[in-house]
Amino acid sequence: MDMKEKTAKHDKSRDITTQVAQSRLASILDCSEDAIITTDLESNVTYWSNGSEKIFGYSLAEIVGNSILRLFPEDREADETYILKQVSRRRKVKSFETLCKTKAGHHIDVLVHIAAIWDANGRVVGISRILRDVTSQKRHERQLIRMTRLFAVSRKLARSGIIPTDQN
């Protein structure tokens, strides 16, 4: 086998290895309940996981190539500007909570994790996001805060000799 044939065989083997690795990665990403989304540096969606479709309601065909800004309420679009600025400056973006909106127009609470996507030359070429729907958790937290405040008021009233009753 001459050098040209060895190189061709090696290239074919590397292509197959790359395809297998990409297939495995796609399988892992698509089994996540979280939304896993990648964008280019213009905020256009380049990858949309099955979890993304379940959380936001957009199909792959509806969202890929379109701006991720459709997931943000107008008053939260600055979050994306901040993310782009930080990533383009090679700064790490700390995880944060924000509001997003679904295809149906419902607002949901999400926990967002951000990572830069680098090319082989070390240039930032995109952004990876993992968004976890924490709407139910946030609702329970708000209920707990209300109940704690109500309990504190009831205790204060009871100490003053006033006993609150529910007259419904």
Side-chain angles (χ1 to χ4, degrees):
M1 184 180 296
D2 67 5
M3 187 58 123
K4 198 175 192 180
E5 290 174 322
K6 285 182 183 178
T7 302
K9 186 176 180 180
H10 177 71
D11 288 346
K12 184 176 181 181
S13 175
R14 185 175 21 180
D15 289 346
I16 291 170
T17 302
T18 301
Q19 290 171 355
V20 169
Q22 288 174 341
S23 176
R24 285 182 183 160
L25 180 59
S27 295
I28 292 166
L29 297 178
D30 281 337
C31 75
S32 175
E33 297 286 321
D34 294 335
I36 302 172
I37 305 166
T38 63
T39 63
D40 59 23
L41 295 178
E42 286 77 42
S43 299
N44 296 313
V45 176
T46 56
Y47 177 80
W48 185 256
S49 69
N50 289 339
S52 303
E53 186 170 341
K54 289 176 187 166
I55 291 172
F56 292 103
Y58 290 101
S59 70
L60 180 71
E62 290 175 298
I63 198 83
V64 169
N66 291 295
S67 176
I68 196 168
L69 290 176
R70 71 170 49 178
L71 303 180
F72 294 98
E74 285 182 25
D75 64 336
R76 299 297 173 112
E77 289 180 2
D79 289 351
E80 180 64 9
T81 304
Y82 171 77
I83 292 167
L84 288 169
K85 193 177 292 185
Q86 294 301 100
V87 170
S88 67
R89 292 180 179 165
R90 296 177 175 256
R91 293 187 180 150
K92 186 174 180 174
V93 179
K94 290 184 180 181
S95 298
F96 63 95
E97 290 182 1
T98 191
L99 281 178
C100 284
K101 64 180 178 182
T102 66
K103 180 179 177 181
H106 303 293
H107 287 122
I108 59 172
D109 295 291
V110 293
L111 174 62
V112 183
H113 305 281
I114 303 291
I117 300 172
W118 308 83
D119 69 7
N121 298 317
R123 291 182 302 220
V124 176
V125 294
I127 301 170
S128 174
R129 296 164 177 80
I130 299 175
L131 293 87
R132 175 165 291 162
D133 184 351
V134 293
T135 305
S136 179
Q137 176 184 338
K138 298 303 280 184
R139 186 177 327 114
H140 288 114
E141 286 174 10
R142 288 188 290 268
Q143 286 175 328
L144 182 59
I145 289 168
R146 278 194 301 273
M147 291 173 68
T148 302
R149 287 180 181 157
L150 180 60
F151 179 72
V153 168
S154 296
R155 283 186 59 186
K156 191 181 278 187
L157 290 173
R159 276 189 247 133
S160 68
I162 302 170
I163 300 173
T165 61
D166 186 5
Q167 296 294 324
N168 292 334

